[in-house]
């Protein structure tokens, strides 16, 4: 809105024969010198014959209006100074001419005073800045904290929209200090005083009466305006809450949009918290203003109660509101019907209002607690027992090479081939894509974390990060479905020989239960450490867990990715539930992999610091005989062992595998650290 110039109409009763060529800037100068006393500066003596009483005899309230030519040549009326308000204001101890330095006595004629056009007129800002510099030089700055606040406000004002040149009159700013504060009666009460509430209730009229009339009219009809003007609720939002008092910025720029959204949260804490948990809010929290914000949905000056039929968020109007952004333009397809039932403030703590979200959260919480509780306890017991066995000098049991029916150990220096190149490549692609998915998804999961915004910026912003995320999701899913196809073909080919609970099957069976119980006995020193066949029970869990995880993460992610198709057939609360499943299952997968999986394969004492079998494809026969003694015995008896015996990896292969392994472990632990910082910082 274009700002208009103030016009002051004040009556004066004493005749005044000379036209006073005072403009608004000259009047504003009064603030400066008055502050010299009000803020601790030296008092400025009045010019002879021009004390405050004499000035007020003409310029006081209740006097006849004094008309003078303005800068544009047209007549205008000067300020009327209310004596009582001036006496109780911050500048009461100052003389008028301390600010009006261009005015001097003209006693030789019958004119009351004269104005010196050559006299440099000070403004509010320069006076306060001079006082602050003087206070700092004298070491008194700490005794005048309010003055420091004023100087900070000046700095903010100079960068604000108000300080810019007025489009209609380039000789003046859009708004000056005096237009908002009134130099003659300036007196902002302390915030804890009853007078402050009354002063705050007048802020909208100060902004609106002469400059922002249309905005004031709209605001008056809003729920905020109703609280201010009708209910006299000083805690309700006023102009300066959203636009700030001094750093008034361009409302079309991102900094303002982000700041005003955060300002809404100062009053509407619960709604702001639930908003920040949505995709719109996560992007906003990361410092990007292109997603929907509070005022996009609720309005700005025209905020109305949800139950009001005219409110933008009323159920009858939500579809129209959604389409203000999702309108088929700017790469956003037109909003389908399901968008209207999305819950932007839904949360998991209210079963009555959001039962689907509550149930989804309960399921995931129980899954997280159960999984981590079981496997972390398993990990701790394993670590403790293995450490105790080492301290006691116990040797791990394995099949004796000279056992009946077994050949002597003729495989010194040889390796057992455990994984083919295809399996190793699939594992590497799976691991890399998962880590990239974690990296690009974490900033949204923990947008308030100190690392989130810099990381998102380093990724190129949300759009780029989102593209990277979806590409790796496709790669991740492709590897998974390739594996399913491969297994299906193998089963079809070897169906007659396949035993679902056989020693080479990854399907959990009764033996796995027995192995687990034997492991528990070993943990508590009640039995020997068990020996295993081709697959251990924890390896089988590692194998089957992705079937659940990929399904949950993949389906929920696809629903959100194809949001337009989803909302065409399903209600909007599906997105709320999908977001819970997607994020919580991803959290489960990441933390499990980089704690339990890393321990089982790399960090337990007899493997630390790295196991490279998944990178080289083979392990030494001696190690294989310890880890999978039952399979070794079976292959020896059947004469099939030789089919799996290979040479040890070359030196470059072994070195490269270690470098790759340590790199992946370092990346995983870094991601785990980011998760820990985000998790504990948000709880």
């Amino acid at each position: 809105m274009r700002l208009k110039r103030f016009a002051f109409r004040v009556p004066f009763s004493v005749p005044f024969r000379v036209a006073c060529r005072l403009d608004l800037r000259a009047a504003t100068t009064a603030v400066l010198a008055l502050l010299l006393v009000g803020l601790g500066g030296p008092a400025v003596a009045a010019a002879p014959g021009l004390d405050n009483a004499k000035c007020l005899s003409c310029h006081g309230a209740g006097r006849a209006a004094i008309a003078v030519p303005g800068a544009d040549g047209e007549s205008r009326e000067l300020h009327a100074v209310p004596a009582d308000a001036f006496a109780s204001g911050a500048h009461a101890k100052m003389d008028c001419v301390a600010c009006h330095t261009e005015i001097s006595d003209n006693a030789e004629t019958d004119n009351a005073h004269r104005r010196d056009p050559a006299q440099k007129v000070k403004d509010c800002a320069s006076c306060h800045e001079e006082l602050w510099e003087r206070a700092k030089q004298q070491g008194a700055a700490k005794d005048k904290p309010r003055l420091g606040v004023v100087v900070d406000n000046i700095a903010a004002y100079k960068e604000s929209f108000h300080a810019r040149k007025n489009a209609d009159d380039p000789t003046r700013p859009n708004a000056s200090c005096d237009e908002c504060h009134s130099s003659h009666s300036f007196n902002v009460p302390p915030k804890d005083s009853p007078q402050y509430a009354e002063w705050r209730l007048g802020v909208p009229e100060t902004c609106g009466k002469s400059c922002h009339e249309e905005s004031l009219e709209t605001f008056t009809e809003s729920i905020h305006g109703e609280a201010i003007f009708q209910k006299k609720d000083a805690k309700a939002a006023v102009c300066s809450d959203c636009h700030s008092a001094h750093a008034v910025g361009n409302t079309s720029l991102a900094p303002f949009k982000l700041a005003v959204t955060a300002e809404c949260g100062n009053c509407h804490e619960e709604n702001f918290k639930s908003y920040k948990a949505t995709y719109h809010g996560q992007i906003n929290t990361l410092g990007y203003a292109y997603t929907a914000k509070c005022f996009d949905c609720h309005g700005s000056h025209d905020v109305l109660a949800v139950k009001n039929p005219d409110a933008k968020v009323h159920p009858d109007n939500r579809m129209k509101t959604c389409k203000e952004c999702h309108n088929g333009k700017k790469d956003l397809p037109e909003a389908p019907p399901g968008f209207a039932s999305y819950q932007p403030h839904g949360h998991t703590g209210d079963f009555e209002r959001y039962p689907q979200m509550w149930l989804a959260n309960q399921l995931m919480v129980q899954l997280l607690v159960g999984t981590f509780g079981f496997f972390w306890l398993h990990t701790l017991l394993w670590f403790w027992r293995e450490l105790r066995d080492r301290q006691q000098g116990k040797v791990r049991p394995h099949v004796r090479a000279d056992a009946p029916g077994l050949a002597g150990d003729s495989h010194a220096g040889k390796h057992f081939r455990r994984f083919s190149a295809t399996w190793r490549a699939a594992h590497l692609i799976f691991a890399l894509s998962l880590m990239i998915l974690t990296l690009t998804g974490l900033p949204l999961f923990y947008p308030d974390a100190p690392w989130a915004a810099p990381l998102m910026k380093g990724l190129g912003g949300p759009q780029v990060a989102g593209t990277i995320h979806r590409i790796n999701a496709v790669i991740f899913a492709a590897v998974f479905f390739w594996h399913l196809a491969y297994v299906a073909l193998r089963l079809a080919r070897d169906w007659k020989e396949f035993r679902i609970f056989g020693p080479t099957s990854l399907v959990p069976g009764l033996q796995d239960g027995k192995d687990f119980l034997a492991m528990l006995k070993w943990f508590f020193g009640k039995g020997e450490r068990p020996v295993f066949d081709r697959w251990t029970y924890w390896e089988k869990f590692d194998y089957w867990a992705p079937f659940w995880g990929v399904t949950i993460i993949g389906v929920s992610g696809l629903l959100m990715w194809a949001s337009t198709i989803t909302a065409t057939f399903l209600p909007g609360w599906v997105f709320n539930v999908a977001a819970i499943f997607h994020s919580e299952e991803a959290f489960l997968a990441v933390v499990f992999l980089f704690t339990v999986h890393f321990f089982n394969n790399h960090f337990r004492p007899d493997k630390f610091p790295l196991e490279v079998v998944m990178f080289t494809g083979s392990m030494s026969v001696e190690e294989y005989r310890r880890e999978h003694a039952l399979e070794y015995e079976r292959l020896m008896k059947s004469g099939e062992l030789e089919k799996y015996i290979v040479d040890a990896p070359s030196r470059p292969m072994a070195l490269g595998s270690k470098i790759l392994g340590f790199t992946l472990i370092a990346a995983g632990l870094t991601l785990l650290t980011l998760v820990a910082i985000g998790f504990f910082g948000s709880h």
Side-chain angles (χ1 to χ4, degrees):
M1 175 179 289
R2 192 167 62 185
L3 298 176
K4 296 183 178 180
R5 183 169 181 142
F6 278 85
F8 299 95
R9 294 176 175 81
V10 182
F12 284 80
S13 60
V14 178
F16 196 34
R17 304 208 250 171
V18 133
C20 301
R21 303 180 56 83
L22 297 176
D23 56 17
L24 178 60
R25 190 177 181 187
T28 305
T29 310
V31 183
L32 292 193
L34 291 172
L35 285 173
L36 289 173
V37 173
L39 291 173
V44 178
L50 282 181
D51 55 16
N52 287 0
K54 186 171 184 179
C55 293
L56 291 173
S57 66
C58 292
H59 295 282
R63 305 295 184 180
I66 301 176
V68 299
D72 54 4
E74 296 185 6
S75 178
R76 65 183 182 84
E77 295 176 0
L78 296 182
H79 287 280
V81 180
D84 292 341
F86 176 72
S88 61
H91 306 141
K93 297 180 180 180
M94 301 181 67
D95 291 320
C96 301
V97 291
C99 291
H100 296 278
T101 54
E102 80 283 18
I103 301 300
S104 60
D105 190 20
N106 194 20
E108 296 179 357
T109 68
D110 52 1
N111 294 332
H113 60 71
R114 60 186 174 189
R115 177 175 179 270
D116 182 1
Q119 180 68 36
K120 184 179 180 181
V121 180
K122 291 184 178 181
D123 56 24
C124 301
S126 62
C127 182
H128 286 84
E129 289 170 337
E130 288 175 7
L131 289 171
W132 181 239
E133 287 301 319
R134 187 183 310 160
K136 290 193 294 184
Q137 292 173 3
Q138 296 173 350
K142 65 179 183 298
D143 299 325
K144 301 179 180 180
R146 179 59 190 167
L147 182 56
V149 172
V150 172
V151 172
D152 290 340
N153 289 340
I154 291 171
Y157 166 78
K158 288 182 177 180
E159 299 295 325
S160 74
F161 183 79
H162 280 164
R164 296 179 184 179
K165 292 181 179 179
N166 184 271
D168 295 332
D169 183 2
T171 63
R172 59 180 294 273
N174 284 322
S176 64
C177 308
D178 185 71
E179 289 172 317
C180 297
H181 292 295
S182 176
S183 56
H184 296 111
S185 59
F186 176 69
N187 186 21
V188 178
K191 287 189 175 182
D192 56 351
S193 67
Q195 293 80 10
Y196 181 80
E198 182 179 354
W199 173 85
R200 181 176 165 81
L201 291 172
V203 169
E205 291 189 348
T206 299
C207 297
K209 277 192 171 180
S210 297
C211 294
H212 304 286
E213 296 97 333
E214 292 181 14
S215 296
L216 176 61
E217 182 179 352
T218 305
F219 174 81
T220 302
E221 300 298 323
S222 73
I223 192 170
H224 291 148
E226 179 183 345
I228 290 292
F229 295 114
Q230 297 180 29
K231 299 179 180 179
K232 303 299 180 182
D233 181 4
K235 295 181 179 180
V238 296
C239 312
S240 56
D241 290 326
C242 298
H243 294 275
S244 85
H246 299 91
V248 179
N250 190 329
T251 58
S252 64
L253 298 181
F256 171 81
K257 294 177 179 179
L258 296 174
V260 75
T261 304
E263 187 62 40
C264 293
N266 288 336
C267 293
H268 307 281
E269 295 180 9
E270 290 301 318
N271 285 335
F272 186 57
K273 181 179 179 181
S274 57
Y275 162 76
K276 289 179 66 176
T278 67
Y279 176 76
H280 291 153
Q282 290 164 340
I283 296 297
N284 186 272
T285 303
L286 288 169
Y288 301 87
Y290 65 84
T291 57
K293 296 158 288 297
C294 307
F295 57 84
D296 289 319
C297 299
H298 293 274
S300 51
H301 299 113
D302 56 344
V303 180
L304 298 173
V306 177
K307 62 183 179 181
N308 189 315
D310 295 327
K312 295 180 66 176
V313 291
H314 186 275
D316 295 341
N317 302 325
R318 287 178 189 171
M319 200 69 252
K320 180 181 177 181
T321 300
C322 290
K323 288 184 178 181
E324 289 181 2
C325 294
H326 297 271
N327 52 16
K329 303 176 182 178
K330 297 181 180 179
D331 300 325
L332 287 176
E334 186 173 347
F339 275 31
S341 58
Y342 173 67
Q343 299 293 340
H345 294 295
H347 57 85
T348 59
D350 190 338
F351 176 79
E352 295 296 326
R353 295 182 64 186
Y354 313 109
Q356 301 90 350
M357 295 182 67
W358 186 90
L359 289 170
N361 181 68
Q362 289 299 312
L363 174 62
M364 291 308 302
V365 167
Q366 299 304 319
L367 180 63
L368 287 168
V369 172
T371 302
F372 290 139
F374 176 83
F375 281 100
W376 283 350
L377 179 60
H378 182 275
T379 297
L380 291 172
L381 291 173
W382 190 350
F383 179 82
W384 178 80
R385 173 47 57 191
E386 196 161 305
L387 193 61
R388 290 284 294 168
D389 282 0
R390 285 195 164 209
Q391 291 172 345
Q392 296 171 8
K394 292 184 179 180
V395 179
R396 289 190 57 182
H398 56 77
V399 175
R400 292 177 16 244
D402 59 349
L406 299 184
D409 188 0
S410 60
H411 301 122
K414 293 292 185 176
H415 272 227
F416 180 88
R417 180 173 58 81
R418 186 156 164 77
F419 300 105
S420 67
T422 302
W423 287 110
R424 284 143 49 200
H427 173 270
L428 180 60
I429 295 172
F430 217 53
L432 289 174
S433 59
L434 183 141
M435 287 183 176
I436 295 173
L437 285 168
T438 304
L439 183 70
T440 52
L442 273 179
L444 290 180
F445 197 34
Y446 296 119
D448 282 313
W451 47 260
L455 175 56
M456 182 59 78
K457 183 177 180 180
L459 290 169
Q463 287 100 337
V464 176
T467 300
I468 297 172
H469 192 83
R470 289 185 284 271
I471 289 173
N472 281 273
V474 171
I475 294 173
F476 191 82
V479 174
F480 178 74
F481 286 114
W482 165 84
H483 172 75
L484 292 181
Y486 177 85
V487 170
L489 290 174
R490 287 289 299 270
L491 289 176
R493 187 187 66 184
D494 304 326
W495 182 253
K496 292 182 179 180
E497 291 79 20
F498 176 71
R499 287 186 297 161
I500 189 169
F501 296 116
T504 61
S505 173
L506 278 163
V507 178
L510 181 60
Q511 184 58 45
D512 295 297
K514 293 179 180 179
D515 290 343
F516 172 66
L517 292 176
M519 200 73 163
L520 285 181
K521 290 181 180 180
W522 174 63
F523 286 163
F524 293 101
K526 302 300 182 181
E528 293 295 324
R529 182 171 186 165
V531 291
F532 299 97
D533 211 305
R534 179 172 180 79
W535 305 111
T536 64
Y537 65 85
W538 63 85
E539 287 175 329
K540 291 183 180 182
F541 183 89
D542 282 354
Y543 175 79
W544 286 103
F547 283 80
W548 162 269
V550 172
T551 301
I552 296 299
I553 296 175
V555 172
S556 60
L558 190 61
L559 288 173
M560 293 187 290
W561 185 0
S563 58
T564 304
I565 298 175
T566 301
T568 301
F569 303 100
L570 298 174
W573 58 259
V574 169
F575 296 118
N576 299 97
V577 173
I580 293 172
F581 279 132
H582 194 76
S583 58
E584 296 298 335
E585 181 61 32
F587 176 84
L588 172 61
V590 169
V591 176
F592 180 88
L593 284 170
F594 300 146
T595 57
V596 179
H597 181 72
F598 271 15
F599 174 83
N600 292 347
N601 292 276
H602 303 291
F603 295 158
R604 67 184 204 241
D606 64 339
K607 292 289 185 181
F608 187 83
L610 177 68
E611 169 61 83
V612 296
V613 64
M614 188 50 81
F615 307 119
T616 62
S618 65
M619 59 198 306
S620 70
V621 174
E622 176 64 23
E623 183 180 5
Y624 164 68
R625 193 168 61 183
R626 288 197 311 268
E627 295 289 333
H628 305 280
L630 298 181
E631 183 183 32
Y632 176 86
E633 179 181 358
R634 187 178 64 256
L635 292 176
M636 284 286 288
K637 287 181 178 180
S638 66
E640 297 179 278
L641 181 63
E642 293 300 326
K643 294 191 306 183
Y644 300 94
I645 300 301
V646 296
D647 292 331
S650 64
R651 185 177 181 83
M653 178 67 172
L655 178 61
S657 296
K658 289 182 179 180
I659 293 174
L660 176 60
F662 280 124
T663 300
L664 291 176
I665 287 176
L669 293 180
T670 299
L671 292 171
L672 183 63
T673 301
L674 296 182
V675 170
I677 294 172
F679 178 83
F680 290 109
S682 61
H683 290 76

